[in-house]
Amino acid sequence: MAEMNMLQAINSALRIAMEKDPTMLVFGEDVGHFGGVFRATSGLQDTFGRGRCFNTPLTEQGIAGFANGLASNGTTAVAEIQFADYIFPAFDQIVNESAKFRYRSGNEFNVGGLVYRTPYGGGIAGGHYHSQSPEAYFTQTPGLKVVVPRNAHQAKGLLLASIRDKNPVVFFEPKRLYRASVGEVPEGDYELPLGKAEVVKEGKDITLLAWGAQMEIVEKAAEMAEKEGISCEIIDLRTLSPWDVDTVAESVKKTGRLLINHEAPLTGGFAGEIAATIQEECFLYLESPIARVCGLDTPYPLIHEKEYMPDALKTFEAIKACVNF
């Protein structure tokens, strides 16, 4: 095991995948010699050359269209969208082309070797163009997988699994954890399963569900709740599409309560889909309404970032309200 932060773990995953797959290309805005705006691709061009790690023009739609073309011809394409906020110009190419290649051809051709990497979320004082969490937009698109790691170990294992998956993947990286999340990471090759949630902590009074950077928040809220005698079960969803209904439902049947936390706005957020599904699966087991602690229905505010964030205190208050319902 080596101590790595999330950026180092992502770089390690890309390096291993490129070593083992000579068809793999890494490309995006400034990813070449500069190593990307966050330095996730540092050193890859020096090692593998300009033909396999290179800069693109500043056009997200062009990056995604280029990625589709490469992947449909058998290349393993890993495209970086510099910030998730800038993924929207590429939205048409991702949801209308990447997601539907396999279906529209009857599996005669596909873009299974395609991953879109993109940093998402707030916490870096980035304002409304560098802080959004747009994961829910992609979860309603059959044909795409949506993955969000919470730490360095997950980032490497889930990214390697995403690169080798036979479906296109949108891989959201929590940018405020890039250097803050440091832990033991195997130096070699390993994968973590897509579509499988992780029960991080077992408990009996309430299930707390989150993903990515918000896992740290729910863990802090759970510590506060434990001091009040409330036992929290914590689940990291990890993959939003397809999401692990069985693991979440099994937990809720045990605890009778569910609180979902995500950084994206409340309305239309993925928490709503989870809540609807779990009330269908677990209706007779529920002791209180399913709670959502999410971002606000407003453009991401620069000066009021702290007020916007669904933090540990908001989550703790919601936990108490659920248990005391």
Side-chain angles (χ1 to χ4, degrees):
M1 292 282 192
E3 285 282 320
M4 295 185 191
N5 63 31
M6 187 176 286
L7 283 171
Q8 292 166 329
I10 290 166
N11 186 276
S12 177
L14 293 171
R15 190 174 294 275
I16 288 171
M18 293 180 80
E19 287 171 349
K20 296 195 172 184
D21 180 359
T23 75
M24 179 171 154
L25 305 181
V26 173
F27 51 92
E29 296 166 6
D30 302 317
V31 304
H33 177 71
F34 191 61
V37 68
F38 292 102
R39 306 300 189 270
T41 57
S42 289
L44 296 183
Q45 188 177 88
D46 292 338
T47 302
F48 300 101
R50 292 176 178 268
R52 295 187 62 197
C53 178
F54 50 87
N55 297 338
T56 64
L58 306 184
T59 168
E60 283 75 20
Q61 186 173 14
I63 291 170
F66 180 60
N68 282 326
L70 285 171
S72 67
N73 283 277
T75 296
T76 301
V78 179
E80 179 179 301
I81 305 295
Q82 194 170 83
F83 287 88
D85 313 61
Y86 302 152
I87 206 168
F88 297 113
F91 193 76
D92 172 55
Q93 284 290 329
I94 296 172
V95 303
N96 276 331
E97 305 299 337
S98 303
K100 296 175 175 62
F101 253 97
R102 186 190 305 278
Y103 177 80
R104 78 181 194 183
S105 74
N107 202 33
E108 288 297 312
F109 52 89
N110 62 70
V111 292
L114 171 56
V115 175
Y116 295 101
R117 291 181 42 251
T118 189
Y120 84 97
I124 64 163
H128 56 291
Y129 284 132
H130 298 84
S131 304
Q132 297 175 75
S133 300
E135 65 269 18
Y137 289 97
F138 298 93
T139 59
Q140 202 188 16
T141 307
L144 291 179
K145 293 190 175 182
V146 179
V147 180
V148 190
R150 80 170 188 271
N151 58 30
H153 179 267
Q154 277 195 7
K156 182 174 178 178
L158 291 173
L159 182 54
L160 281 167
S162 297
I163 291 169
R164 292 160 180 167
D165 197 86
K166 298 305 181 183
N167 301 277
V169 178
V170 184
F171 193 86
F172 287 99
E173 300 165 3
K175 70 173 90 70
R176 70 180 171 89
L177 299 185
Y178 267 157
R179 291 180 173 83
S181 175
V182 180
E184 290 190 341
V185 178
E187 294 185 78
D189 192 343
Y190 69 95
E191 298 179 26
L192 295 175
L194 304 186
K196 181 64 178 174
E198 178 187 358
V199 179
V200 176
K201 176 182 176 295
E202 294 193 358
K204 60 183 178 63
D205 295 326
I206 186 171
T207 300
L208 308 181
L209 179 64
W211 50 87
Q214 292 305 105
M215 284 301 300
E216 181 183 22
I217 300 301
V218 299
E219 288 175 329
K220 289 179 180 178
E223 291 175 4
M224 298 166 73
E226 295 284 351
K227 295 177 181 178
E228 301 282 331
I230 301 171
S231 174
C232 300
E233 182 143 307
I234 302 175
I235 298 179
D236 177 7
L237 200 55
R238 301 200 298 195
T239 304
L240 276 63
S241 181
W243 68 282
D244 188 353
V245 177
D246 292 343
T247 295
V248 179
E250 182 181 353
S251 174
V252 174
K253 287 176 181 178
K254 178 176 69 172
T255 65
R257 301 176 181 88
L258 174 62
L259 184 151
I260 310 155
N261 179 302
H262 64 59
E263 192 177 317
L266 176 73
T267 301
F270 196 62
E273 173 62 28
I274 296 169
T277 301
I278 293 302
Q279 72 86 20
E280 291 174 351
E281 296 283 329
C282 307
F283 182 75
L284 296 178
Y285 295 86
L286 290 172
E287 300 289 344
S288 67
I290 296 172
R292 294 177 291 168
V293 181
C294 306
L296 305 179
D297 290 337
T298 180
Y300 197 101
L302 173 61
I303 194 169
H304 294 301
E305 183 173 57
K306 185 177 185 298
E307 288 74 16
Y308 176 92
M309 295 293 285
D311 61 15
L313 185 58
K314 292 178 185 177
T315 306
F316 172 55
E317 294 296 332
I319 290 171
K320 289 192 294 182
C322 287
V323 171
N324 296 326
F325 179 79

